[in-house]
Amino acid sequence: MKPSVQKFLGVLVTLVLLGGMIFLRVRVSVTSFDFQSSNFTFFWLAGRMLIEGENPYDEAQYLAGHETHGIKWQPNKIFPYPLPLAIFFIPLGFLSLPTAYLAWQVITLLIIAWTIFILLDHWQEAAQKRLLVPIFAAMFFFGPVYLTLHTGSVGALALLAIVGAILLLEKDKSLPAGMLLSLTMLKPPQGLTILLLAGIWFLARRDWKAIYGVAIGGIALLVVGMIQDPLWLIKFRGASEAVMDRTQGVHSNVWAFAHLACDGTSPCWLILGGTASLTLLGLAGFLLWRNQSRLTAWEAFNIILPVGFVSTIYLWAYDQLPYLIPIVWIIGTLAQKSRSYIFSFLFLILLVLFSLFALVQQAGTRSDLWSLGTTVLVLVSIWVTSKMKQKPAP
C-alpha cells in the first residue's frame, strides 16, 4: 500500500473514531442529563438576553428570563460571571436551550480533541501521534471533563485560549498571545493566578509584548462590559461575593483547607489561606524566573496551571480542564523517554481512576476537596517525567 493511501486511511479511521465517540457522548447527554439544572443555563440565558436587548446584570430581567424559559435552577440574582462572557454565547442564544446545550457539548469535545492533536503534533515521531484516540477516549472518564460536559461549564474557552497562546508564543507572536491569555479573566479566580505567574515568566524573559497584549486584552474586556453596563464591575463583585460566601471550604485549594483547619473562623482562615497561597505562588514564580531561558512556553504553563489552580480562592474540579495541557506533555514525554507506551498508559489509568474517585466523593459530600489529589498527581508526574532519563535507541 502506498504511504499516501495508508496515511489517508489512518486519518479517515481516526476521524471516524473521534466522531463516533462524540456522537455517543452526546446521546448519553440527551437521555441522562438535566440541562435545565446545569451551569450552562447561565451562559445560554445571558446570550439570549443580549439578543433580546436585555441586560443579564439586571436582576428583574435575569430572574424573569428563568421563568420565561423554564429554567429550574435559580441560585443567582444576576449573571454570576463577567459580563463580556455573555457575548461569546450570543450564537448559542439563537438556538433553543436543549439544542444549544448539545451544541456546546460538541464544541467542547472538538476543542478537547483539537488540543490533544495539536499538542501531540509537537513530536515528530509517529509514536506520540498514535496516542490521540486513546487519550481522547480516556478523557470521557476523566473527572474534570465529565463534570464539564455534565454542567455545561466554559472551561473549554480557557483551554482554547491557553493552547492558542502557547502556540503563538512558540512562534514569537507575543502580543496576540498575551491578548488571548487575557481571556482567562472571563473567570477571574482562574485568570488572576494564571496571569500573575505568566507575568513573572514574561518579566524574566523581558517579553514586553506579551505583557502589553495582556493589558490590551484586559482593557478591551473592561470596555466591552462597560458598553453593556457601566456599573458591571460593581455588580459582578457583589454577585461573586455571594457565590463565594455560600461555597467556602469545599474547593480543592489551599484556601478551602485553611477554612477547614480554622473551622471557618476569620481572620484565621484568611491569614492561613493567604500565606499558603502566596508561598505556592512565590515558589512557582521563583522556579519560572530562575528557569526562564530553559523552559518552553508549554513547559512554563505545565507549572502555571496546576499551581495557579491550587493557589486561587475559588475554582471547581471542572476548572481543571486546562490540565489537559500538562497531561498530554506527561504522556507524550513518557512515551518518548521510555520508548514504550507502558508508563504513559499507567499514568493515564491512575489519573482517570483517581479523578473518578474524587468525583464520587464530591457527589456524595458536595465537597470538592479530593480533587486536590489530581493537582498533586499532575505536579508530581511533571517533576518525575522531567527528571526521567532518555532511554537509548535500540
Side-chain angles (χ1 to χ4, degrees), residues 247-266:
T247 59
Q248 276 305 320
V250 301
H251 307 112
S252 55
N253 56 43
V254 293
W255 292 91
F257 283 92
H259 191 276
L260 292 176
C262 295
D263 199 25
T265 58
S266 180

Side-chain angles (χ1 to χ4, degrees), residues 196-230:
L196 173 63
L197 291 175
I200 292 172
W201 188 59
F202 292 150
L203 280 172
R205 290 162 51 91
R206 307 283 199 280
D207 194 344
W208 308 116
K209 288 184 179 179
I211 296 172
Y212 297 151
V214 171
I216 292 170
I219 292 170
L221 291 175
L222 176 64
V223 171
V224 167
M226 293 185 70
I227 291 172
Q228 299 174 76
D229 188 330

Side-chain angles (χ1 to χ4, degrees), residues 168-370:
L168 289 168
L169 287 168
E170 290 174 342
K171 297 178 181 178
D172 293 323
K173 297 181 179 180
S174 297
L175 185 66
M179 294 173 69
L180 267 183
L181 276 180
S182 70
L183 294 179
T184 58
M185 284 300 295
L186 291 173
K187 189 154 191 180
Q190 184 178 46
L192 281 172
T193 50
I194 287 176
L195 293 180
L196 173 63
L197 291 175
I200 292 172
W201 188 59
F202 292 150
L203 280 172
R205 290 162 51 91
R206 307 283 199 280
D207 194 344
W208 308 116
K209 288 184 179 179
I211 296 172
Y212 297 151
V214 171
I216 292 170
I219 292 170
L221 291 175
L222 176 64
V223 171
V224 167
M226 293 185 70
I227 291 172
Q228 299 174 76
D229 188 330
L231 300 177
W232 79 270
L233 280 178
I234 298 173
K235 295 178 181 179
F236 170 68
R237 179 182 175 182
S240 298
E241 289 176 349
V243 171
M244 285 192 284
D245 285 345
R246 66 174 183 257
T247 59
Q248 276 305 320
V250 301
H251 307 112
S252 55
N253 56 43
V254 293
W255 292 91
F257 283 92
H259 191 276
L260 292 176
C262 295
D263 199 25
T265 58
S266 180
C268 172
W269 77 272
L270 291 172
I271 294 173
L272 183 59
T275 301
S277 176
L278 290 174
T279 300
L280 286 175
L281 290 171
L283 290 172
F286 175 75
L287 185 63
L288 290 165
W289 186 281
R290 185 177 181 181
N291 297 283
Q292 54 85 17
S293 60
R294 294 197 293 269
L295 292 173
T296 65
W298 190 357
E299 290 168 340
F301 278 93
N302 287 347
I303 299 170
I304 291 168
L305 292 173
V307 174
F309 180 95
V310 79
S311 301
T312 197
I313 195 166
Y314 173 92
L315 285 179
W316 293 95
Y318 49 68
D319 294 307
Q320 292 178 339
L321 184 62
Y323 281 17
L324 186 57
I325 295 168
I327 287 169
V328 173
W329 183 87
I330 293 166
I331 293 170
T333 305
L334 285 173
Q336 175 191 349
K337 289 188 173 183
S338 67
R339 299 190 182 279
S340 167
Y341 292 125
I342 294 175
F343 291 111
S344 298
F345 285 121
L346 284 176
F347 165 74
L348 192 54
I349 291 169
L350 179 61
L351 179 74
V352 167
L353 289 177
F354 184 85
S355 69
L356 286 177
F357 169 77
L359 186 62
V360 171
Q361 295 302 310
Q362 181 181 350
T365 64
R366 301 295 180 184
S367 174
D368 194 29
L369 294 172
W370 278 99

